[in-house]
Amino acid sequence: MFRRRESVPFSFVAEADRFRSNVTPPPRERASLSEKAGRTLIGLVVVAGLAGSLLLGLPALSPEQSAGHSQQTEAAHGR
């Protein structure tokens, strides 16, 4: 029985190292000043949001409880 080394649709993949293109892609367009400013602004908003959520969330995560806000069950009162 005859077996092929490569399946027909993917035979070009095995030979991809042999063929090198001499066509260079066009250079990338440089970002304009407004695009750079927009990216910077988005980055600052994300960082400020993370910092703000951290500052607002830390007091809620602290394990300290004041004496006036401690909770006691009915069993603690001897009922």
Side-chain angles (χ1 to χ4, degrees), residues 43-59:
L44 287 174
V45 166
V46 168
V47 169
L50 291 173
S53 65
L54 185 66
L55 288 174
L56 294 175
L58 279 179

Side-chain angles (χ1 to χ4, degrees), residues 2-44:
F2 178 72
R3 289 186 63 180
R4 295 181 184 171
R5 287 179 30 212
E6 296 286 330
S7 61
V8 175
F10 300 106
S11 62
F12 65 91
V13 176
E15 299 174 356
D17 291 336
R18 295 184 200 163
F19 301 105
R20 297 286 182 199
S21 175
N22 60 356
V23 178
T24 57
R28 291 184 60 184
E29 293 183 14
R30 298 192 63 145
S32 66
L33 183 62
S34 62
E35 289 176 346
K36 287 181 184 178
R39 290 177 187 165
T40 303
L41 184 62
I42 289 174
L44 287 174

